[in-house]
């Protein structure tokens, strides 16, 4: 089977707020889903993607960092370091929004790989952040739930024709309202 780019669902879709279901058996369907998720993540310049983001409520996520790729099925965080680090995160399901989120510097995750083999990974730094972000998705948690430091990302063109990005402070309720408006059909 060929890989396909799947549609990423956005804030307001109830699947993003559901706790994803464990995978009981990794079949060709899950293998295809993993391949499609990698393709979708790459196409959208992401570093991680959870199955609920492509409207599949299963406990699977993929990630890519520093040339390494990861596909985790039924991941569980077994341990978290006491050290927390703040960092700016975006989310493919909440486009044009960023948040300052505190995450554990290092974690230990047990999971199955794409072939059903048990694995344990101890990511740290940015990779640990990616894993925590994606595991949050599997539990129906979004970056807007993890931070009060939220920003709209606005790209403007200055008088010299150069693009410039500005971060405009916002609130969780304003973000939710903006995404609800996007779902409202135009009345004629």
């Amino acid at each position: 089977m060929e890989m396909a780019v799947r549609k990423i669902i956005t804030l307001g879709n109830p699947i993003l707020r559901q706790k994803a279901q464990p995978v009981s058996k990794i079949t060709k369907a899950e293998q295809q889903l993993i391949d499609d998720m990698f393709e979708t993540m790459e196409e959208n310049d992401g570093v991680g993607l959870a199955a609920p983001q492509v409207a599949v409520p299963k406990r699977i996520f993929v990630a890519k960092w520093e040339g390494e790729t990861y596909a985790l099925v039924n991941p569980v965080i077994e341990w978290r370091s006491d050290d927390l680090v703040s960092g700016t995160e975006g989310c493919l399901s909440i486009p044009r929004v960023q948040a300052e989120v505190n995450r554990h510097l290092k974690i230990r995750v047990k999971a199955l790989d794409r072939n059903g083999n048990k694995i344990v990974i101890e990511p740290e730094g940015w990779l640990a952040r990616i894993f925590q972000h994606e595991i949050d998705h599997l539990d129906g948690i979004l970056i807007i739930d993890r931070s009060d430091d939220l920003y709209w990302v606005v790209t403007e063109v200055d008088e010299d024709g150069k693009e410039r990005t500005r971060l405009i402070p916002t609130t969780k309720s304003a973000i939710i309202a903006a995404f609800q408006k996007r779902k409202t059909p135009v009345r004629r």
Side-chain angles (χ1 to χ4, degrees):
M1 286 192 176
E2 289 188 28
M3 292 190 284
V5 174
R6 296 193 183 202
K7 181 179 189 251
I8 295 176
I9 61 175
T10 56
L11 181 64
N13 188 310
I15 293 173
L16 289 174
R17 293 307 200 164
Q18 295 172 6
K19 191 169 175 85
Q21 295 302 306
V23 175
S24 57
K25 184 179 180 185
I26 300 173
T27 67
K28 286 183 181 180
E30 282 75 24
Q31 294 283 353
Q32 184 65 52
L33 172 63
I34 289 168
D35 288 342
D36 291 353
M37 287 171 61
F38 273 119
E39 185 80 6
T40 303
M41 179 184 70
E42 292 280 337
E43 181 70 23
N44 289 278
D45 296 322
V47 293
L49 186 67
Q53 292 181 273
V54 292
V56 179
K58 293 184 177 183
R59 295 190 74 77
I60 299 173
F61 80 83
V62 299
K64 182 177 181 181
W65 185 247
E66 295 183 339
E68 295 288 324
T69 58
Y70 304 87
L72 278 72
V73 178
N74 299 335
V76 174
I77 297 176
E78 290 187 313
W79 172 85
R80 296 167 175 87
S81 67
D82 291 335
D83 299 327
L84 293 173
V85 179
S86 181
T88 304
E89 296 182 23
C91 180
L92 295 174
S93 289
I94 315 175
R96 293 177 296 286
V97 170
Q98 288 185 348
E100 280 296 315
V101 181
N102 286 321
R103 300 279 187 191
H104 296 275
L105 180 62
K106 188 173 181 179
I107 59 175
R108 180 182 312 114
V109 179
K110 73 174 185 178
L112 300 176
D113 69 12
R114 67 177 300 144
N115 299 310
N117 300 309
K118 292 180 181 178
I119 57 173
V120 175
I121 302 175
E122 292 191 6
E124 58 184 289
W126 202 259
L127 184 59
R129 176 174 298 281
I130 295 167
F131 277 33
Q132 290 168 85
H133 178 113
E134 300 311 329
I135 291 169
D136 272 355
H137 273 298
L138 303 181
D139 293 327
I141 299 168
L142 303 174
I143 59 172
I144 61 173
D145 304 321
R146 292 275 186 209
S147 177
D148 291 326
D149 294 324
L150 303 167
Y151 303 91
W152 292 113
V153 180
V154 179
T155 304
E156 302 169 322
V157 178
D158 65 19
E159 59 273 357
D160 297 329
K162 294 181 182 173
E163 281 192 0
R164 185 172 76 97
T165 301
R166 270 193 324 138
L167 298 180
I168 300 172
T170 189
T171 63
K172 180 178 178 177
S173 59
I175 293 168
I176 292 169
F179 277 85
Q180 285 174 339
K181 285 181 182 175
R182 293 179 185 183
K183 304 288 186 244
T184 306
V186 176
R187 294 183 187 210
R188 298 191 186 251

